[in-house]
Amino acid sequence: MNQSCDILIIGSGPAGLAAARAACQAGLGITVIDDNPRPGGQIWRNGPQTRLEPAVLARLAILEHPSIRYLPGTRVVAALKPGSLLLENAEHGFVITYQRLILCCGARELLLPFPGWTLPGVTGAGALQALVKNGLSISGERTVIAGSGPLLLASAATACNAGAQVNQVLEQASGTSVMGFAAHLWRWPTKIRQAIGLATTVYRWNSHVVEALGEQRLEAVRVNVGGRLKDIPCERLACGFGLVPNTTLAVHLGCELQGTAIAVDPHQRTILPQVYAAGECTGVGGSELAMVEGEIAGLAASGQHQEIKALLSHRDRWQAFADRATQAFALNPAIHNLAQPDTLLCRCEDVPFAAMACEASWTAAKLQTRCGMGACQGRVCGSAAQALFGWEAPLPRTPLVPARISTLL
């Protein structure tokens, strides 16, 4: 059951929805795919514990437009010849051909190892949000949120709304950095309102996790708060150190990277003439930046170039916010030294930190230790290794995700 379209959009988060909304005005055939069962990405993740605002529901409604075909639960297995991808859903594999491709692949949470981080009850900050929105009950659970960036406050709010007892929100950045960031929020009034709505009295800066404690599951967390160690009894720890752009498909296609993100021009074009990119995969910056980038990409891919000029200053404004946040919440070097020699770095294959730290590259580590060869295929330990050791990311190979033999055939 092969398919074709004029514009193929990968991802139905803020950027992908904005791209679809802009592109459909040109009367072209558009297909939107996402590996999640419901649209919205992480920030607008829809589930049994979620009540979306009317403005968000209006954005999701674009997928019902007659010129748009929406394929949830669909993953990219491989790029074939230029202009075609091999896809797979729960029922079968198939090939889709396109004239233009817009990558809105989002970002992954950066999880860095520390003693006890593999205990049941320990998740990423964004992962806790996803679990709660998909129905996980955490009512009454004592919870600690830790790591870096504005996501911590959003995760804490989600946990509180789900009935959890949030004891601490620990930000590793210094008070000077956090207050300096807050002092410039007047330039983005909507962010001031968000910050007020998410504010909590248990927020602490210059603080980070040292160790998760417990036997069979999490029982407490040892933290460094302003230079002093203390143990906090808890049933749940959500710890994330920012986000990493998801560039796997882009690199597989042959796109260039700028740092850790997909390199694009002012019209969101990559170096490949038929491929565009927008949102967190081009640099982490929040939903507002993702939406305006997605709109620009949708307009450019559908040939509506006249409408783009009015959006450029809007994008620059939100890019300035993203740059300010990146600078304010940069990781303290001490965070990279939390792991002990016997701390697992690759959880899938039980590879300790010491076994990987002595290697010179990801490829060498993989050959010697089997790191990255488990269920996550290096999505967790690979990003951690790049952050900890400065290794270059490996080139993605076919298949990009585990796939059925029938699909590959």
Side-chain angles (χ1 to χ4, degrees):
M1 188 188 71
N2 294 343
Q3 299 184 16
S4 63
C5 60
D6 296 311
I7 298 176
L8 175 62
I9 300 173
I10 311 292
S12 61
L17 293 171
R21 185 189 208 82
C24 73
Q25 300 173 26
L28 300 175
I30 300 166
T31 297
V32 178
I33 74 167
D34 198 304
D35 57 0
N36 288 300
R38 292 178 292 272
Q42 171 68 4
I43 191 168
W44 296 333
R45 184 180 290 272
N46 195 0
Q49 301 296 328
T50 306
R51 180 174 296 178
L52 299 176
E53 298 178 356
V56 175
L57 293 175
R59 290 191 171 274
L60 296 177
I62 192 62
L63 297 176
E64 300 173 7
H65 192 280
S67 67
I68 295 177
R69 181 195 298 126
Y70 170 52
L71 304 177
T74 302
R75 304 188 298 176
V76 179
V77 176
L80 304 178
K81 61 183 181 181
S84 65
L85 296 176
L86 176 62
L87 307 180
E88 183 181 82
N89 58 26
E91 298 176 352
H92 55 262
F94 60 99
V95 173
I96 187 167
T97 59
Y98 56 86
Q99 299 301 312
R100 296 287 185 272
L101 175 66
I102 305 178
L103 302 175
C104 302
C105 304
R108 293 194 293 266
E109 195 164 12
L110 176 60
L111 305 175
L112 297 178
F114 53 88
W117 76 305
T118 60
L119 283 171
V122 181
T123 67
L128 179 61
Q129 281 190 299
L131 289 168
V132 169
K133 291 177 180 180
N134 281 318
L136 175 69
S137 175
I138 60 172
S139 180
E141 292 188 356
R142 295 171 296 179
T143 302
V144 174
I145 312 289
S148 188
L151 176 61
L152 302 185
L153 288 172
S155 182
T158 299
C160 284
N161 292 336
Q165 178 187 333
V166 178
N167 294 330
Q168 296 275 268
V169 179
L170 306 176
E171 168 56 60
Q172 58 84 42
S174 68
T176 301
S177 294
V178 175
M179 294 306 294
F181 174 72
H184 286 86
L185 286 183
W186 61 268
R187 298 170 58 187
W188 305 279
T190 58
K191 290 300 181 182
I192 294 179
R193 292 192 290 272
Q194 287 180 15
I196 293 172
L198 297 174
T200 173
T201 58
V202 297
Y203 184 83
R204 303 287 184 270
W205 51 61
N206 194 29
S207 304
H208 63 265
V209 166
V210 174
E211 183 177 4
L213 306 172
E215 294 297 329
Q216 299 302 315
R217 63 164 292 114
L218 180 68
E219 297 172 9
V221 57
R222 182 164 295 152
V223 300
N224 182 319
V225 180
R228 300 180 62 181
L229 294 179
K230 68 175 184 177
D231 293 352
I232 305 174
C234 60
E235 287 77 45
R236 193 163 295 279
L237 167 64
C239 187
F241 295 101
L243 301 173
V244 179
N246 184 0
T247 60
T248 301
L249 177 56
V251 174
H252 182 59
L253 290 167
C255 299
E256 284 188 353
L257 300 185
Q258 184 172 6
T260 60
I262 303 172
V264 293
D265 71 6
H267 285 191
Q268 304 297 138
R269 287 180 294 230
T270 71
I271 63 164
L272 303 180
Q274 64 186 145
V275 180
Y276 300 74
E280 308 280 57
C281 60
T282 65
V284 176
S287 60
E288 294 88 354
L289 179 60
M291 285 188 287
V292 69
E293 288 181 347
E295 187 173 359
I296 291 171
L299 292 171
S302 59
Q304 303 175 77
H305 299 286
Q306 294 298 320
E307 289 82 353
I308 294 176
K309 186 175 181 180
L311 297 172
L312 299 181
S313 61
H314 187 44
R315 180 181 59 193
D316 291 343
R317 177 168 168 266
W318 285 111
Q319 184 61 59
F321 171 81
D323 294 341
R324 176 77 57 178
T326 298
Q327 180 181 11
F329 297 104
L331 290 185
N332 186 320
I335 301 298
H336 294 90
N337 298 319
L338 294 177
Q340 298 300 308
D342 61 347
T343 302
L344 293 183
L345 202 166
C346 175
R347 300 183 296 183
C348 298
E349 295 293 328
D350 292 338
V351 181
F353 177 87
M356 294 180 64
C358 64
E359 301 297 340
S361 67
W362 173 258
T363 300
K366 192 171 183 179
L367 287 171
Q368 297 298 325
T369 69
R370 288 186 55 84
C371 64
M373 299 178 71
C376 88
Q377 292 289 287
R379 286 171 175 78
V380 176
C381 60
S383 296
Q386 292 167 50
L388 294 173
F389 309 133
W391 292 346
E392 291 187 5
L395 293 176
R397 300 171 63 185
T398 300
L400 299 177
V401 295
R404 294 186 294 267
I405 294 177
S406 59
T407 296
L408 299 177
L409 291 175

